[in-house]
Amino acid sequence: MERLVYEECDSTCKSTREFYPRAWPCATLFMKRCAPRLSPLATRNGWPFIESIDLYAAKSGEELVKKQSFVFEDRGGDLVTLRPELTPSLARMIAAKQGELNFPLRWWSFGPFWRYEQPQKGRAREFFQWNVDMLVSIHPKRMPN
């Protein structure tokens, strides 16, 4: 059986990270320690890593879309972006199922995001973010007793 050898190289995209097998336990420490404590308070959910650029153009503004997002054309000709923030995706998901959801909602997630910004100390183009969202309904019939 051939042994896998991991060697560092300079071929990664600017301001992104690689997690070699030895480093991966440190990278996942947050999930190991925080997820069990948060789970009784909120429900974990997931979001797509790519979204239509139109969603972000409508909800986040021109600067995010034109200057800070990784935007590309998919094979079908649609413009999509690597998720630069969560709020538009969250709003889209809530709107799609608003008649089926029981409010208040307590959702959390943890994952990668991407911003095409000038790399700086402590700020990378690829970053991990912990999101905790609580949403309530202002519709009187949907309010909890």
Side-chain angles (χ1 to χ4, degrees):
M1 182 173 185
E2 196 173 319
R3 184 176 178 197
L4 294 175
V5 177
Y6 295 95
E7 295 180 13
E8 289 193 49
C9 65
D10 293 331
S11 64
T12 61
C13 292
K14 189 176 188 179
S15 193
T16 61
R17 292 181 210 111
E18 295 174 322
F19 293 100
Y20 287 88
R22 273 195 182 151
W24 192 241
C26 294
T28 59
L29 184 63
F30 173 86
M31 289 297 294
K32 289 178 184 174
R33 295 229 172 124
C34 294
R37 290 175 174 87
L38 191 56
S39 292
L41 306 173
T43 305
R44 184 177 184 190
N45 58 331
W47 324 91
F49 287 169
I50 62 170
E51 289 272 14
S52 166
I53 193 62
D54 294 337
L55 176 68
Y56 286 90
K59 301 289 180 192
S60 296
E62 190 173 319
E63 182 180 349
L64 180 73
V65 171
K66 291 190 175 184
K67 295 181 181 177
Q68 298 179 355
S69 295
F70 284 93
V71 179
F72 56 95
E73 188 175 307
D74 69 10
R75 291 183 181 149
D78 297 321
L79 288 178
V80 295
T81 184
L82 293 174
R83 159 180 86 187
E85 65 175 341
L86 188 61
T87 304
S89 297
L90 172 66
R92 179 188 49 74
M93 288 178 67
I94 298 298
K97 301 281 185 181
Q98 63 184 331
E100 302 169 33
L101 298 170
N102 294 316
F103 292 89
L105 296 175
R106 293 177 188 95
W107 288 357
W108 73 273
S109 64
F110 180 77
F113 291 81
W114 297 268
R115 289 267 179 121
Y116 192 82
E117 295 179 320
Q118 219 25 50
Q120 307 170 38
K121 183 175 180 160
R123 187 170 217 170
R125 288 182 173 173
E126 176 187 35
F127 58 96
F128 287 83
Q129 182 171 303
W130 180 29
N131 297 286
V132 180
D133 298 285
M134 181 172 174
L135 298 116
V136 297
S137 173
I138 58 169
H139 192 284
K141 292 183 181 178
R142 304 214 42 123
M143 292 298 286
N145 294 331

